[in-house]
Amino acid sequence: MPQQPDILTKHICYHCGDECIDEILYDDKSFCCAGCKAVYELLFQSNLCSYYTLENHPGINLKESGSGIKFNYLDEAEIQKQIIEFSNDEITKVTFYIPSIHCSSCIYLLEHLYKIDHAVVNSKTDFTQKKVFITYKTGETSLRKIAELLYSIGYEPAINIDDLAENDKPKVLKKLYYKIGIAGFCFGNIMLFSFPEYLSLGNLDMYYKHLFGYLNILLSVPVFFYCASDYFKSAFIGLKQKYINLDVPISLGIAVIFFRSVFEVISGFGAGYFDSLTGLIFFLLIGKLIQTKTFDFLNFERNYKSYFPISVTILKDKNETTTPINKLQKGDRIVIRNGELIPADSILFKGNAKIDYSFVTGESTPIEKVFGEIVYAGGRQEGDVLELEVVRDVSQSYLTQLWNNDAFKKTDVIKTKLNDVIAKYFTYITIAVALTAGAFWLNKDVKIAVNVFTAVLVIACPCALALAGPFALSNSMRIFGKNKFYLKNTGVIEKLSQIDSIVFDKTGTITQVKNAELNYYGSLLSNYELSEIKSLVKNSTHPLSQKIYGSIKCDGEFAIANYKEFPGKGIKGIVGENEYKIGMLEFVMAGDSKEDAENKASKVYVSKNGKLKGYFLILNYFRKGLSELVNELKEDKELSLLSGDNDNERQNLQEIFGTQADMKFYQKPEDKLSYIQTLQDKNKKVLMIGDGLNDAGALKQSDAGIAVTESVTCFSPSCDAILSSEKFRELNKYLIFSKTTMNVIKASFAFSMLYNFVGLYYAVQGALSPIVAAILMPVSSISVVLFAIFLTDFFAKRQKLI
Amino acid sequence: MDVMFILIGASITVAITFLFAFMWAVKSGQYDDRYTPSVRILFDENIQSETENKKL
């Protein structure tokens, strides 16, 4: 229900709900920045203030979004052609993917765009897919203007090459809905026509008996040939690869029921088991629908293209034009501005390059490049405008080489192993029982022998078995989702339950510079001194310098003389009349080093005119709860750590991870991948936990790859699961619960076997009446499903996950 | 008892009608997004702009 926003609460931004540090008052409301105020003004003018009544502080803070983003490239006809879905002289239709959609207010605002810009005819939101479908008048506005409008109200559309490719998932789902609809329809009607048989209305006219029988055949034909076709296909593919999956006994059962029933009706021998057949397929399809439950708003499959911009500025005859990135050619002169990504390996022509490769290597310190040097794709420029000449195509660059690795060619076959092991024995045993029972009766009566043989196959059809897995797994997946641990598919749970060795990435996964706490210890610094320090660290791009810069609140506008940066040590420079040195102790106090090496990485010392003033201590540099988590995991799993960064923190990390853990530094993406491979060669089940593009190969190669991310809808590399960073501490709990889930499935299997034994008892005696089958089959299916859901919920509650 | 034929015919016709209604609903995209419409219906709409919106 809509709540009244707390207008009177002071210092909370009316728009985005952030704390107001430099409060702006407007219309009796507080705003944290000019951006939020501007959005409010716009909405106020357009009479859209219900936006604020639907949810509290629904706005998106504009402070952190990149200001330099331009949508100029949307004016290019080439790019428009790829994005626009439909266009004529009157209207144009386009779909944007907007990651920041998060609440019902967002839906409200995005569906009322026509009030802000009258050229918009209609806009519709799909909340789960975070998409907005916009129709606008062709002549009156442009694609670029629409994108800019969305950006100006805080809903920046994410446009990348990958999004331009249509995904066909809805079609698969639609097909499943059709199948369920048809199966349900036929199932219901067949039940009605089978009632006379259930009630054994003996005096029923033979005439009607035949009529009902033939109607049943007619109704079950589409179910058998259309609705159940996937099971036959899957069983056939499995058998072709000499591999028995659970679909083999299911198909066998279904086929036997169908043909035996048809035979019974035509020969007038009985009424067949059409109700059981269609009911079974109906339940199986529902299980399938449940299993396809996905987290639509997340994207688990991302490759390097998703990270690259859609277009790049090129210089042609001294004119700047934009061109789509896939049209970029060797020899093109490109312009890269501050914060932009280098799309292809190039040679530096002009400008001071300071390139942050954290995207590719994990090393966060920017690397300086000079004229004539090669800069690799995936680097992000910090500072001046650069002019580069492309030397290799986008698809052949150093970064994209990684994607040519075999790990990325592997197609993901979802094989639920436990199911298949059981299916194998199950199939053999069923066939053996059917043959023995058939042989036993063969001496007495051929008719009964055939009857018994088929009845065993019918009753053994493992539909309850096939349902237990999907329902237990998808229920667990739902529970994980509630705990902000999102799985790509249900198969991941089984993989997680088998993990015996875990590989961590360092930067961004177990460390978090951005949210670290910073404290100063030592002799008190005056505001003037703080400003001087701020002016100095401003020049350094080292993450710790940036952290100090961000934490000092006063201005830092002093000029610096003799600035020098010593990589891995610190910085020095003269501010006004004072010489400052900032960095490691042995650097700051040359020669006078008696530092305990322990906290090297998280202490930054400051000296003024050769005198030590004190140090900045960066707390919580590691993720909260890391050491507790590691201690829990250490007990039964092998841990290792891979880092693209230098080994400055080896000692720190060794203390947390223990001496047993393997640690490797200076790791390139392909090194990480091959490290996982060597572990797997030793028959280890490896879980990789990473965060960046540089872990993408390792995440893909590992048995299960988890991407840790601050914001789940942000870019994360292709992986099996996405873990919200705030739940990082809970990882061990999740691994334990995945094991519990597998045990629940085993218990459900045992439970459904009980039904099978009861059924077999009747079947081998040749006494399986349609009514027994008709009751046993749905009852077993439904009770097994309820059993699986109840148990997963029960254990989730006990393990405090719900 | 011959009335049974008519009844069966009628019942199947009704059932098939519903089946087609369901298939039409799937085809027209009503099952594509099962969340947003539930939110959309709660918005208080300015009636004038709603009709304006529909017209275009």
Side-chain angles (χ1 to χ4, degrees), chain A residues 111-112 121 125 127 208, chain B residues 1 33-34 36 40 45 53:
Chain A
E111 301 207 335
H112 288 80
V121 176
T125 320
F127 184 81
Y208 285 116
Chain B
M1 278 293 263
D33 179 7
R34 291 177 300 170
T36 325
R40 192 177 294 138
E45 199 63 57
N53 191 23

Side-chain angles (χ1 to χ4, degrees), chain A residues 473-622:
Chain A
L473 290 172
S474 60
N475 194 34
S476 296
M477 192 165 150
R478 185 184 63 86
I479 291 163
F480 279 138
K482 272 191 179 168
N483 285 283
K484 300 194 173 172
F485 181 44
Y486 305 98
L487 308 182
K488 185 165 85 177
N489 55 48
T490 49
V492 179
I493 294 178
E494 185 169 4
K495 288 186 195 157
L496 285 176
S497 69
Q498 295 162 346
I499 294 301
D500 56 11
S501 102
I502 303 178
V503 180
F504 287 92
D505 164 60
K506 197 195 84 173
T507 326
T509 306
I510 61 170
T511 65
Q512 44 171 173
V513 180
K514 215 177 118 199
N515 299 335
E517 237 177 80
L518 186 131
N519 282 315
Y520 175 77
Y521 297 93
S523 50
L524 215 60
L525 297 171
S526 66
N527 271 354
Y528 187 73
E529 283 170 321
L530 279 172
S531 309
E532 286 182 324
I533 292 169
K534 188 169 181 176
S535 314
L536 187 62
V537 291
K538 192 173 152 187
N539 291 284
S540 161
T541 44
H542 191 277
L544 293 179
S545 303
Q546 290 299 319
K547 181 71 210 169
I548 295 173
Y549 176 78
S551 71
I552 299 176
K553 293 277 184 282
C554 7
D555 293 332
E557 302 298 336
F558 294 104
I560 310 289
N562 294 342
Y563 173 78
K564 233 179 160 179
E565 190 161 348
F566 300 86
K569 289 194 182 115
I571 53 173
K572 75 172 195 186
I574 297 168
V575 194
E577 290 159 2
N578 303 313
E579 193 201 39
Y580 279 94
K581 276 179 164 184
I582 297 170
M584 285 162 61
L585 186 60
E586 58 257 48
F587 166 74
V588 173
M589 303 304 296
D592 185 22
S593 164
K594 49 178 192 265
E595 185 193 17
D596 48 331
E598 228 173 88
N599 281 321
K600 230 199 276 181
S602 45
K603 269 186 194 169
V604 179
Y605 289 85
V606 179
S607 82
K608 183 184 175 186
N609 297 327
K611 253 169 91 188
L612 189 66
K613 295 291 282 185
Y615 60 87
F616 290 96
L617 180 67
I618 287 124
L619 281 174
N620 291 341
Y621 180 60
F622 293 111

Side-chain angles (χ1 to χ4, degrees), chain A residues 309-497:
Chain A
I310 201 161
S311 75
V312 64
T313 315
I314 63 168
L315 218 53
K316 227 178 208 170
D317 310 324
K318 296 195 175 165
N319 287 325
E320 282 189 12
T321 51
T322 44
T323 191
I325 201 162
N326 43 6
K327 288 274 158 76
L328 198 61
Q329 278 171 350
K330 231 191 274 182
D332 279 347
R333 200 59 90 77
I334 57 174
V335 178
I336 299 291
R337 295 192 175 76
N338 182 22
E340 284 185 339
L341 209 67
I342 294 156
D345 296 353
S346 332
I347 288 180
L348 182 62
F349 247 78
K350 219 179 183 176
N352 292 322
K354 243 188 198 173
I355 294 166
D356 171 12
Y357 277 116
S358 57
F359 215 39
V360 185
T361 59
E363 170 79 66
S364 45
T365 322
I367 296 166
E368 287 190 40
K369 294 270 181 182
V370 295
F371 171 78
E373 275 188 290
I374 282 204
V375 287
Y376 292 107
R380 194 182 286 281
Q381 163 67 356
E382 291 180 356
D384 295 356
V385 178
L386 299 183
E387 239 182 87
L388 308 166
E389 190 178 301
V390 177
V391 292
R392 237 172 290 176
D393 290 341
V394 177
S395 60
Q396 283 167 11
S397 66
Y398 168 78
L399 174 69
T400 51
Q401 292 284 315
L402 185 64
W403 265 270
N404 296 329
N405 191 291
D406 289 338
F408 286 90
K409 291 194 184 117
K410 264 195 322 204
T411 41
D412 255 344
V413 190
I414 312 161
K415 268 188 209 158
T416 317
K417 259 185 145 183
L418 179 68
N419 262 353
D420 293 339
V421 170
I422 290 176
K424 203 165 112 188
Y425 292 109
F426 188 86
T427 312
Y428 290 146
I429 292 170
T430 326
I431 292 174
V433 171
L435 284 175
T436 352
F440 174 78
W441 285 101
L442 204 56
N443 299 325
K444 294 166 188 164
D445 191 344
V446 182
K447 233 180 179 175
I448 299 176
V450 175
N451 184 3
V452 166
F453 179 73
T454 50
V456 170
L457 291 181
V458 167
I459 203 71
C461 182
C463 65
L465 216 60
L467 284 171
F471 276 93
L473 290 172
S474 60
N475 194 34
S476 296
M477 192 165 150
R478 185 184 63 86
I479 291 163
F480 279 138
K482 272 191 179 168
N483 285 283
K484 300 194 173 172
F485 181 44
Y486 305 98
L487 308 182
K488 185 165 85 177
N489 55 48
T490 49
V492 179
I493 294 178
E494 185 169 4
K495 288 186 195 157
L496 285 176
S497 69

Side-chain angles (χ1 to χ4, degrees), chain A residues 47 50 54 104-105 107-109 111-112 114-115 118 120-122 124-129 137 170 173-175 177-178 180-182 185 189 192-193 204 207-208 211-212 215 219 289 296, chain B residues 1-5 8 11-19 22-37 39-40 42-46 49-50 52-56:
Chain A
N47 202 10
S50 321
L54 289 164
S104 47
S105 282
I107 302 174
Y108 173 78
L109 182 53
E111 301 207 335
H112 288 80
Y114 67 92
K115 282 193 174 179
H118 294 290
V120 176
V121 176
N122 186 4
K124 233 181 145 188
T125 320
D126 184 331
F127 184 81
T128 40
Q129 292 192 55
K137 293 180 201 157
L173 260 180
K174 266 189 184 174
K175 243 185 166 173
Y177 280 125
Y178 285 137
I180 290 175
I182 291 169
F185 161 78
N189 282 292
L192 284 178
F193 297 141
L204 194 68
Y207 198 58
Y208 285 116
L211 174 71
F212 290 144
L215 274 174
L219 281 168
L289 179 70
D296 278 328
Chain B
M1 278 293 263
D2 285 346
V3 73
M4 285 275 279
F5 293 104
I8 289 166
S11 80
I12 287 191
T13 317
V14 171
I16 285 178
T17 316
F18 280 106
L19 180 66
F22 172 75
M23 284 166 74
W24 167 81
V26 173
K27 200 180 174 194
S28 67
Q30 291 183 33
Y31 285 76
D32 292 354
D33 179 7
R34 291 177 300 170
Y35 178 77
T36 325
V39 177
R40 192 177 294 138
L42 295 173
F43 295 152
D44 291 327
E45 199 63 57
N46 182 331
S49 62
E50 178 65 89
E52 198 177 287
N53 191 23
K54 261 184 197 158
K55 223 170 20 186
L56 291 162

Side-chain angles (χ1 to χ4, degrees), chain A residues 1-3 48 50-59 100-112 125 127 130 155, chain B residues 35-44:
Chain A
M1 281 309 286
Q3 285 172 314
L48 284 174
S50 321
Y51 180 61
Y52 297 103
T53 54
L54 289 164
E55 304 265 345
N56 278 336
H57 312 299
S100 49
I101 294 177
H102 65 280
C103 66
S104 47
S105 282
C106 301
I107 302 174
Y108 173 78
L109 182 53
L110 289 171
E111 301 207 335
H112 288 80
T125 320
F127 184 81
K130 298 198 184 256
Y155 296 95
Chain B
Y35 178 77
T36 325
S38 69
V39 177
R40 192 177 294 138
I41 199 163
L42 295 173
F43 295 152
D44 291 327

